[in-house]
Amino acid sequence: MEIYKLPTGDSVYRYAKSIVVCFSGQRRVLSTSLFNGGYSEKYKAIFNHDATQGAGMPCKVLADTYKEHMVIVATQLGLDPDCVTGVSTAASMENVAINTLKYEGFSVTAIVTGGIETNGGRVGDPAEYFKPIFKNRKEGTINIFLFFNCDMPAAIMARALVTCTEAKTAAIQELLAGSNYSTGLATGSGTDQTIIVADAEANMCMESAGKHSKAGELIGKVVMKTVKEALAKQTGLTPRSQHSILKRLKRFGVTEDSFWNAYKVKNQVNIINKPQFISLLEEVAQDDFGVTITSLYLHLLDQHTWQLLTDEETVYAANKLLDTLAQEYGVELVELQKAAVEDFTTKIIILIVQVVQKKINEVIKLDNLKEE
């Protein structure tokens, strides 16, 4: 079915677990895909394919190599493999996000699918392989199609690709999405792909796509907006979902079990069971004040990692924030000793467990009153 009509007149279709854009005229295409990637003026269409076997299921490989696999996919989509470029993902095409921004006759459209829950990483994170092959790919992937209703020289398309990538990263960092491979904030997934399309037949031609140009501004705005929409649709990643102490601590290796284990150490005889504990923990984790202070606390660790704060500055400020939390919740202060991830996370876990313990005591007291 046709789901969108681009300002260029090109039609966007969704069928066979894919998004396919058929060109109505000559287009310049710059693709990062391993399948017919690079720059070309001969392509008739581009596509984005959901390679999973079903929701929550692994990707299905149709050939020994990624290129051979994509040739089969293109053929199944009714496209000439020699005249298209395409990308694949584990994201559902039902969760595609599309937006167009315009300015005085110029338009830029972003078509995005995405998810970074399992594959999100920060540039420079430790890598798993040197020469990737399809079977080793982790399909998380933010795939972006960026369409312009104007012509662009190849060099300006390359600059548009840079601006688009910056915008994608800005969107992810504004959501505070963490890397799955380090304690840093994610900058994308390990398999992100982007395809830039310009209208070779248009009278208008852009001479710049950097941040100082109007084209660059629109690229930034439309990509940030559309990436956020796609992530919200695919995995529920939103500012609201990130408003949690648990979510803020996730990239540092802290889980619900980290709190549960700390609770068991402090209470040799468990007062409540694990489901009850987790329920109360989640309630505490979403407290506005706690989320705010914990965010500031963890950002000190980021700035220490980036060498923007010394050990002494970091420890001093962190203890001030821990003291603020302790006073707010009426629990015992736990002081940080050194600017290290383990010490940072251990201290905040101990403090939050005390807060949960207070809630447990309140529940027990209320239950006793009811029994009386």
Side-chain angles (χ1 to χ4, degrees):
M1 61 179 293
E2 185 179 48
I3 61 172
Y4 200 82
K5 180 73 76 172
L6 295 167
T8 56
D10 300 339
S11 294
V12 182
Y13 299 97
R14 180 170 57 209
Y15 65 99
K17 295 173 62 181
S18 303
I19 297 292
V20 178
V21 183
C22 296
F23 301 155
S24 57
Q26 184 182 3
R27 304 289 180 259
R28 303 186 195 278
V29 178
L30 179 63
S31 170
T32 65
S33 176
L34 293 174
F35 171 60
N36 292 342
Y39 177 79
S40 176
E41 298 178 13
K42 72 175 185 178
Y43 295 147
K44 305 299 182 183
I46 60 175
F47 68 89
N48 183 9
H49 177 67
D50 174 4
T52 63
Q53 300 175 64
M57 300 178 68
C59 294
K60 183 178 182 180
V61 182
L62 303 176
D64 292 333
T65 68
Y66 181 72
K67 183 176 180 180
E68 291 171 337
H69 165 83
M70 294 296 277
V71 166
I72 294 173
V73 171
T75 302
Q76 291 178 342
L77 292 173
L79 305 173
D80 181 350
D82 292 329
C83 297
V84 298
T85 181
V87 294
S88 65
T89 179
S92 170
M93 296 300 113
E94 297 295 325
N95 295 325
V96 66
I98 306 176
N99 285 291
T100 297
L101 286 184
K102 299 179 180 180
Y103 180 80
E104 294 188 357
F106 168 71
S107 74
V108 54
T109 301
I111 304 175
V112 181
T113 60
I116 56 172
E117 291 295 309
T118 61
N119 197 18
R122 184 173 183 82
V123 64
D125 280 349
E128 296 180 352
Y129 49 76
F130 176 68
K131 185 177 181 181
I133 58 176
F134 184 74
K135 290 183 179 180
N136 288 339
R137 291 166 62 89
K138 292 186 176 180
E139 301 290 338
T141 310
I142 297 175
N143 285 342
I144 302 174
F145 290 170
L146 200 61
F147 287 86
F148 299 94
N149 70 336
C150 65
D151 197 3
M152 281 185 173
I156 304 306
M157 294 180 69
R159 186 63 184 86
L161 177 61
V162 173
T163 304
C164 176
T165 303
E166 289 186 49
K168 174 196 68 178
T169 297
I172 295 169
Q173 299 217 314
E174 286 184 4
L175 291 168
L176 289 181
S179 168
N180 291 293
Y181 309 100
S182 72
T183 61
L185 293 170
T187 55
S189 87
T191 51
D192 290 351
Q193 299 286 352
T194 302
I195 299 179
I196 307 289
V197 181
D199 185 353
E201 299 177 348
N203 293 325
M204 183 188 303
C205 184
M206 283 293 137
E207 60 179 9
S208 177
K211 289 185 288 296
H212 295 306
S213 69
K214 202 66 182 179
E217 176 191 337
L218 266 60
I219 292 170
K221 287 180 176 178
V222 77
V223 171
M224 290 176 69
K225 174 181 173 66
T226 313
V227 166
K228 288 181 179 180
E229 287 184 8
L231 293 176
K233 288 183 175 182
Q234 180 66 28
T235 62
L237 179 58
T238 65
R240 182 64 240 174
S241 73
Q242 291 294 85
H243 191 269
S244 164
I245 292 173
L246 292 171
K247 291 294 182 68
R248 302 297 167 91
L249 285 165
K250 180 184 175 184
R251 62 188 170 104
F252 296 97
V254 177
T255 65
E256 293 175 343
D257 281 342
S258 303
F259 291 94
W260 171 245
N261 292 332
Y263 170 72
K264 289 192 298 181
V265 169
K266 187 175 181 180
N267 300 273
Q268 297 302 318
V269 179
N270 291 333
I271 300 175
I272 62 173
N273 59 38
K274 185 175 181 179
Q276 290 174 304
F277 176 85
I278 297 301
S279 178
L280 291 172
L281 171 63
E282 290 175 343
E283 183 180 329
V284 170
Q286 293 179 17
D287 179 71
D288 293 349
F289 188 81
V291 173
T292 301
I293 300 301
T294 301
S295 296
L296 297 173
Y297 175 78
L298 294 175
H299 191 50
L300 288 172
L301 189 55
D302 286 329
Q303 294 201 36
H304 178 266
T305 301
W306 303 332
Q307 299 183 339
L308 295 174
L309 291 175
T310 65
D311 289 359
E312 293 76 14
E313 291 169 332
T314 304
V315 170
Y316 177 80
N319 279 326
K320 287 289 186 182
L321 293 172
L322 288 171
D323 182 54
T324 300
L325 278 175
Q327 290 189 46
E328 174 71 16
Y329 294 125
V331 298
E332 182 182 347
L333 172 62
V334 182
E335 288 195 336
L336 189 72
Q337 301 300 320
K338 56 184 178 180
V341 172
E342 184 177 359
D343 205 28
F344 256 75
T345 55
T346 298
K347 295 304 186 292
I348 196 71
I349 289 171
I350 293 173
L351 194 150
I352 296 300
V353 165
Q354 289 186 69
V355 181
V356 177
Q357 183 67 65
K358 283 190 67 177
K359 284 193 168 291
I360 292 171
N361 295 340
E362 292 170 3
V363 171
I364 293 173
K365 183 177 179 180
L366 183 61
D367 289 343
N368 290 338
L369 287 174
K370 289 180 179 179
E371 291 178 1
E372 294 176 359

